[in-house]
Amino acid sequence: QLQLQESGPGLLQPSETLTLMCNVSGGSMSTTNHFWAWIRQPPGKGLEWIASTHYTGTTYYNPSLKSRVTISVAPSRNQFSLKMTSVTAADAGVYYCARGIEADKAWSYYFDVWGRGTVLTVSS
Amino acid sequence: ETVMTQSPGTLSVFPGKRVTLSCRASQSVGTNLAWYQQKPGQAPRLLIYSASTRATGIPARFSGGGSGTEFTLTITSLQSEDFAIYYCQQYDSWPPLTFGGGTKVEI
């Protein structure tokens, strides 16, 4: 059974760079009909998709965050990661990694497996 | 960007009752819509995809409907474990993939 586990710094100061890692276990990342995503949730708020990557390295970004984020994948290590520069208090919350599964419509994805999330606090 | 709007924000329901949650898209998404359930301190869990198909292991009391811009999630005979926040997500037109703001179902 596929499992995802996030890891991250927990606490950052404003303007620092966030680096998150997602370890995938119980299955392969190198499947054509899946992609790998980061989604976040500010405290008490809803879900926001950040970015996704295919195992081939193709990437997709939320236009609202594109200038500050980079997603990368290492399928041989069953890992993918996210970097976000210049964090502010608005970036605080829970960050989830998730597997996207391709829907009937090609290149359309919903999320069928989620990690438990890692909490980010931004404070000086 | 396709904006997803969920209503109401909160539903107060008695256990055993039926409840219907609404999700509206700012433009047609066909049936490319998913529903998730999130309990406090947990990650979201996939309930429904393709607007009406239950995910593996989801009880039959959960059903989804709709197409285009109007969607519903119905839960018949609410159980104690069903009190949670429910989110819809469109995957028809992206980036970005977008979620609704959520509906909280409370006792």
Side-chain angles (χ1 to χ4, degrees):
Chain A
Q1 165 185 357
L2 192 82
Q3 292 186 317
L4 283 67
Q5 177 68 59
E6 306 88 348
S7 59
L11 174 65
L12 285 177
Q13 295 187 357
S15 81
E16 290 190 315
T17 295
L18 169 67
T19 300
L20 298 173
M21 187 71 68
C22 184
N23 285 292
V24 179
S25 60
S28 172
M29 293 188 70
S30 302
T31 49
T32 56
N33 62 329
H34 294 115
F35 75 7
W36 307 92
W38 289 99
I39 297 160
R40 70 179 181 178
Q41 185 169 38
K45 296 189 178 180
L47 301 162
E48 181 181 33
W49 172 73
I50 303 170
S52 295
T53 182
H54 194 252
Y55 82 96
T56 55
T58 304
T59 57
Y60 310 87
Y61 294 98
N62 190 322
S64 69
L65 296 167
K66 186 174 183 177
S67 64
R68 295 197 293 131
V69 302
T70 303
I71 190 171
S72 57
V73 63
S76 61
R77 295 198 300 271
N78 266 15
Q79 291 179 335
F80 63 105
S81 62
L82 182 78
K83 286 194 175 183
M84 178 183 291
T85 61
S86 304
V87 299
T88 70
D91 295 312
V94 180
Y95 285 72
Y96 297 101
C97 59
R99 185 180 77 171
I101 183 168
E102 191 171 18
D104 292 341
K105 178 179 178 179
W107 295 105
S108 295
Y109 298 86
Y110 54 92
F111 304 103
D112 65 336
V113 182
W114 296 65
R116 293 186 175 185
T118 185
V119 177
L120 172 68
T121 301
V122 180
S123 175
S124 56
Chain B
E1 172 175 334
T2 302
V3 177
M4 308 301 292
T5 302
Q6 291 186 243
S7 60
T10 302
L11 270 172
S12 298
V13 190
F14 286 99
K17 295 298 186 182
R18 171 191 176 108
V19 65
T20 298
L21 287 62
S22 295
C23 175
R24 174 176 293 177
S26 61
Q27 62 187 313
S28 177
V29 299
T31 56
N32 297 302
L33 184 112
W35 288 94
Y36 303 86
Q37 176 194 65
Q38 186 178 34
K39 297 179 181 179
Q42 296 185 17
R45 176 176 71 144
L46 176 67
L47 296 176
I48 300 283
Y49 62 93
S50 297
S52 61
T53 304
R54 278 189 302 277
T56 302
I58 302 304
R61 65 180 181 272
F62 291 91
S63 64
S67 65
T69 61
E70 301 284 344
F71 300 87
T72 58
L73 174 69
T74 298
I75 313 170
T76 58
S77 188
L78 269 166
Q79 307 297 301
S80 58
E81 62 265 30
D82 300 335
F83 291 95
I85 300 176
Y86 293 84
Y87 295 96
C88 59
Q89 176 231 330
Q90 69 82 22
Y91 48 91
D92 184 75
S93 176
W94 69 290
L97 295 164
T98 49
F99 294 86
T103 291
K104 181 179 182 180
V105 177
E106 64 178 21
I107 299 175

